[in-house]
Amino acid sequence: MSYPHLLSPITLSGVTLPNRVLMGSMHTGLEDKVAHFPRLAAYFAERARGGVGLMVTGGFAPNIEGWLSPFGSRLATGRAARGHRVITDAVHREGGRIALQILHSGRYGYQPFSVAPSRIRSPITPFTPRALSASGVERQIRAFVRCATLAREAGYDGVEVMGSEGYFINQFLVTHTNKRDDRWGGAYAQRMQLPVEIVSRVREAVGKDFILIYRISLIDLVPDGQDWSEVAQLARAIEAAGASMLNSGIGWHEARIPTIATSVPRAAFTWLARKLKGEVSLPVCASNRINTPEVAEAVLAAGDADFVSMARPLLADPEFVRKAAAGRAASINTCIACNQACLDHTFSQELASCLVNPRACHETEIVIRPTGAPKRVAVVGAGPAGLAAATTLAERGHAVTLFEASGAIGGQFNLAKRIPGKEEFNETLRYFGERLRETGVTLRLSVAATAELLRAEGFEDVVLATGVTPRDPRIPGQDHPMVMGYIDALTGARAVGRRVAIIGAGGIGFDVAEFLSHDGPSTALDRDAWRREWGVGDPSDARGGVSGVRAQPSPPAREVFLLQRKVGKPGAGLGKTTGWIHRTALKMKKVQMIAGVRYDLIDDAGLHVTIGDERRTLAVDSVVLCTGQEPRRDLLAPLQAAGLRAHLVGGADVAAELDAKRAIRAATLLATRL
Ligand code: NAP
Ligand code: SF4
């Protein structure tokens, strides 16, 4: 398939871009220290080489008040601007274009100097902001202008003014954060003066031939958010003030509706970009959950937008555009929207990376070089760890055979992809299937590798990626016919009754609860059904897209109890940015999540438990065990006895707190060294 709309050039403020792909802003953590700029330069240079039309950096504060975190990224001095040259030069050497995002955090600042239109703390930060005086507002505007001028001096091709996601500018626009009675508050026409003033003064300062993107909040997803007439009024004023393009912002960070998680349908919000296009004549960029060239092309071809923003998909595959253009879309490493290595890291103050591409933000450390000494290497197990090891080893020039005892590649991903809302896992399997072919790995399915076989075939090194086996929880009565493992429940090998107890509320317990409580097609594949389920309205009818809109989840398929022994909140170990979504989704399905449970006995009456001091019998007709994993490494000792060099990766190495992120990273690192 070709992508004529996606790959057509466009000129913005005198700068001609080769295609319609905008790498959206993504805070990686590398922005926070100048010492990390060479790494940031390598990260962007790799993506410029991959052909992306225009990239936007992570957010840089224009002053200390606008810091996201103490000593975080900031561009406020000529000296700091000179430090950025390493980034802009690296991008330009590769023929790329890059804009700097100016992000003032306002009351979202995780720091004591934060300022806001009014003294109102956000629900997601512990610091109460200082309310700005009128001269304080003027100082912030000047800081935006100075930051944009410095960005130009630093060699950037443009700036993006961050006006969405509930940050500083967005806080002026809505009444629940702006209680001012001076010229920056009151009626909407006054509340919107801040962004208009910023854009017009930035344009005046940087001149005509410099890209100026304004990221506008199309749907705030908070009560008292903007209605559509206000969004449209602002958009027209921003156009008149001199912006080159409008980028879409979806939802405040404090919104309780998912906007980018994997369970959000692809292109779920592009209808808003289309709505915006009806209001303005400057180019509009759509964003959120656009992760394949097909989806991007469809959005553009339908006339919903002129550009598509993809941040995480470019983390997952820096060569996204080049592969699409070369007709190799099947070998794109697709972002599965898991957030596990990007946003979860950022919100835990760790450097961002990518679950499916551990090189993201680590380009200078994880280098895949051709081997000087090719060997015959066997990889045993074709789960995520085995696939990453085999393809990386083969890419380096080793002769690799991948053994898999079952009839398909994918390991635990074959279970994950069955969960409603986790369909994206199919893409990783497609990618690895293609990579195996491209790198020339010999795949031997339905072969249980033994030490004798591997020795007889003359392998020098063996990578053991044999994964995990479910842990035996040793609960009295667990051999009762109503008890089953999660694999049987998910594959349909065993029928599950109408009332179910799930023992263990880790990642898999949550997945099984989602699977068993859900009926009918996945809402991740149906945008309208998903909007009904979460209560996302049209801002033309409902303020912020949510005021007065009722969530209408479909009824649960079963009565489900999700149990854990620990006393804390179930799902506490799930992703920082996605755990709340899983908990909310299960609550909508009326799943009863119970912590502090002791499992006493399973018999014909059901599951007997003690919760605190109370003994209860859950009269269930099925019990599903999701009690964690043990490493599966039976082959290790025989291999060592046969004198073969064995290397453990993934769950076969450490099963505790195993996730695909650790498995793929460890396997890739091992493969760069062998
Ligand atoms: P897990 O996260 O370690 O959870 C195991 C659960 O079983 C815990 O709730 C634990 O809680 C309970 N448990 C452990 N030993 C037990 C015993 N002897 N008797 C009864 N209960 C016991 O493991 P998992 O759910 O198998 O998931 C494996 C990994 O896959 C996860 O760590 C996760 O990273 C990944 N994964 C993630 C997701 C996701 O993020 N959505 C989804 C699927 C898988 P108590 O000890 O409190 O009972
Ligand atoms: Fe996408 Fe997950 Fe990678 Fe983030 S970690 S870029 S969400 S695949």
Side-chain angles (χ1 to χ4, degrees):
M1 181 175 173
S2 63
Y3 308 97
H5 295 85
L6 190 65
L7 301 176
S8 70
I10 185 171
T11 301
L12 288 184
S13 299
V15 184
T16 299
L17 305 170
N19 54 60
R20 307 304 180 95
V21 178
L22 177 90
M23 179 176 168
S25 177
M26 169 96 207
H27 201 80
T28 65
L30 292 171
E31 301 80 4
D32 294 336
K33 286 200 183 95
V34 180
H36 282 158
F37 280 14
R39 287 176 63 180
L40 198 54
Y43 161 77
F44 281 123
E46 191 156 316
R47 283 146 183 91
R49 239 183 342 268
V52 55
L54 175 64
M55 300 180 288
V56 183
T57 65
F60 281 82
N63 55 13
I64 285 174
E65 288 104 308
W67 263 343
L68 266 177
S69 56
F71 307 103
S73 55
R74 178 170 68 109
L75 176 58
T77 63
R79 186 158 177 261
R82 286 190 289 283
H84 282 253
R85 272 283 172 192
V86 61
I87 300 168
T88 53
D89 287 347
V91 169
H92 292 150
R93 265 198 304 277
E94 299 295 345
R97 298 287 192 174
I98 185 162
L100 177 124
Q101 189 190 65
I102 311 176
L103 185 155
H104 190 307
S105 59
R107 70 177 197 152
Y108 279 173
Y110 209 84
Q111 44 100 350
F113 308 112
S114 62
V115 294
S118 303
R119 194 173 182 283
I120 303 167
R121 190 161 69 87
S122 91
I124 56 171
T125 34
F127 297 97
T128 303
R130 183 166 55 80
L132 285 166
S133 64
S135 59
V137 175
E138 174 60 31
R139 266 202 317 280
Q140 310 310 308
I141 298 172
R142 281 206 300 267
F144 270 91
V145 176
R146 179 183 58 201
C147 187
T149 314
L150 289 169
R152 183 158 196 163
E153 273 171 43
Y156 286 100
D157 301 285
V159 288
E160 175 173 80
V161 172
M162 178 51 152
S164 62
E165 260 69 10
Y167 288 113
F168 181 67
I169 292 176
N170 219 172
Q171 292 157 24
F172 273 78
L173 295 171
V174 309
T175 48
H176 82 267
T177 44
N178 183 348
K179 309 280 185 203
R180 302 178 72 92
D181 53 13
D182 61 0
R183 65 172 284 220
W184 306 108
Y188 190 77
Q190 279 164 251
R191 299 201 304 273
M192 74 174 209
Q193 278 316 304
L194 179 83
V196 175
E197 192 80 12
I198 289 172
V199 170
S200 95
R201 279 161 68 175
V202 165
R203 174 54 82 204
E204 200 183 314
V206 295
K208 284 200 168 69
D209 54 343
F210 192 65
I211 297 171
L212 170 44
I213 305 167
Y214 181 79
R215 184 136 170 223
I216 186 168
S217 183
L218 296 181
I219 186 165
D220 290 326
L221 297 178
V222 288
D224 297 335
Q226 299 163 91
D227 69 20
W228 186 255
S229 69
E230 293 169 342
V231 173
Q233 190 184 344
L234 173 63
R236 288 190 292 268
I238 293 288
E239 175 169 25
S244 326
M245 176 158 78
L246 289 170
N247 191 6
S248 308
I250 307 291
W252 288 36
H253 283 316
E254 67 203 67
R256 292 289 88 184
I257 289 173
T259 55
I260 57 169
T262 193
S263 55
V264 175
R266 290 173 174 182
F269 295 99
T270 54
W271 58 280
L272 286 155
R274 184 184 186 89
K275 231 168 136 71
L276 183 66
K277 267 185 72 68
E279 308 285 352
V280 291
S281 44
L282 81 176
V284 166
C285 181
S287 81
N288 288 49
R289 290 291 284 120
I290 299 169
N291 66 337
T292 69
E294 284 74 22
V295 175
E297 177 67 18
V299 168
L300 297 171
D304 290 356
D306 307 284
F307 250 91
V308 285
S309 171
M310 291 185 269
R312 297 173 301 166
L314 269 301
L315 241 75
D317 196 333
E319 290 192 88
F320 184 103
V321 176
R322 192 139 47 123
K323 288 178 181 173
R328 292 176 51 224
S331 48
I332 291 175
N333 195 0
T334 304
C335 165
I336 56 173
C338 65
N339 285 357
Q340 280 175 250
C342 51
L343 288 187
D344 283 353
H345 279 206
T346 304
F347 282 89
S348 321
Q349 318 293 322
E350 284 176 66
L351 282 187
S353 188
C354 172
L355 180 142
V356 297
N357 172 24
R359 290 192 64 248
C361 304
H362 298 270
E363 286 76 9
T364 55
E365 300 151 58
I366 308 180
V367 183
I368 300 173
R369 290 196 180 86
T371 175
K375 317 187 249 203
R376 280 172 56 72
V377 185
V379 177
V380 184
L387 290 165
T391 51
T392 309
L393 284 163
E395 187 182 339
R396 294 188 52 223
H398 292 300
V400 182
T401 303
L402 175 59
F403 293 90
E404 168 58 41
S406 78
I409 64 165
Q412 298 271 325
F413 270 32
N414 287 313
L415 297 174
K417 72 180 190 191
R418 293 170 180 265
I419 312 301
K422 285 200 164 179
E423 294 78 7
E424 294 288 2
F425 281 77
N426 282 301
E427 300 294 345
T428 306
L429 299 178
R430 182 261 309 144
Y431 163 74
F432 273 121
E434 194 63 25
R435 282 295 288 158
L436 289 174
R437 278 186 285 281
E438 281 186 350
T439 55
V441 171
T442 304
L443 176 63
R444 289 171 66 181
L445 294 173
S446 308
V447 179
T450 60
E452 297 74 54
L453 174 93
L454 297 173
R455 197 175 53 171
E457 296 202 6
F459 291 103
E460 296 159 68
D461 286 81
V462 179
V463 176
L464 268 188
T466 36
V468 290
T469 57
R471 178 184 291 137
D472 177 358
R474 298 173 203 276
I475 296 168
Q478 68 178 31
D479 52 358
H480 190 280
M482 78 164 81
V483 182
M484 68 190 82
Y486 66 88
I487 299 174
D488 285 346
L490 291 176
T491 56
R494 295 276 305 274
V496 181
R498 307 297 300 172
R499 299 192 81 210
V500 192
I502 298 172
I503 297 187
I508 290 178
F510 265 75
D511 274 359
V512 170
E514 192 103 39
F515 180 82
L516 293 178
S517 58
H518 191 90
D519 218 355
S522 167
T523 52
L525 303 175
D526 180 340
R527 280 175 253 181
D528 293 336
W530 180 84
R531 278 180 60 189
R532 277 195 301 279
E533 180 172 46
W534 284 91
V536 178
D538 186 329
S540 294
D541 313 319
R543 245 181 206 286
V546 290
S547 294
V549 184
R550 209 165 43 85
Q552 298 169 51
S554 52
R558 295 180 172 80
E559 184 178 359
V560 177
F561 298 90
L562 177 58
L563 312 170
Q564 71 175 29
R565 299 175 303 178
K566 282 186 288 292
V567 176
K569 176 172 69 175
L574 298 177
K576 214 172 166 69
T577 63
T578 52
W580 69 271
I581 302 172
H582 295 299
R583 272 190 299 276
T584 310
L586 293 192
K587 275 184 203 149
M588 293 199 297
K589 295 284 185 212
K590 301 190 169 39
V591 171
Q592 297 181 54
M593 292 173 256
I594 308 175
V597 178
R598 197 183 72 205
Y599 310 110
D600 298 325
L601 178 68
I602 300 165
D603 63 16
D604 290 346
L607 171 64
H608 303 271
V609 294
T610 306
I611 304 166
D613 296 332
E614 188 201 348
R615 300 187 76 157
R616 273 179 71 181
T617 299
L618 306 178
V620 293
D621 35 33
S622 295
V623 174
V624 183
L625 301 177
C626 304
T627 50
Q629 323 288 341
E630 303 286 356
R632 183 188 292 149
R633 52 167 90 127
D634 330 345
L635 206 50
L636 181 62
L639 283 177
Q640 287 168 336
L644 290 171
R645 271 193 304 272
H647 312 269
L648 289 170
V649 287
D653 183 19
V654 185
E657 287 168 26
L658 168 71
D659 63 16
K661 176 179 75 175
R662 177 158 64 74
I664 292 176
R665 183 181 156 80
T668 306
L669 282 173
L670 170 71
T672 59
R673 292 186 197 125
L674 275 189

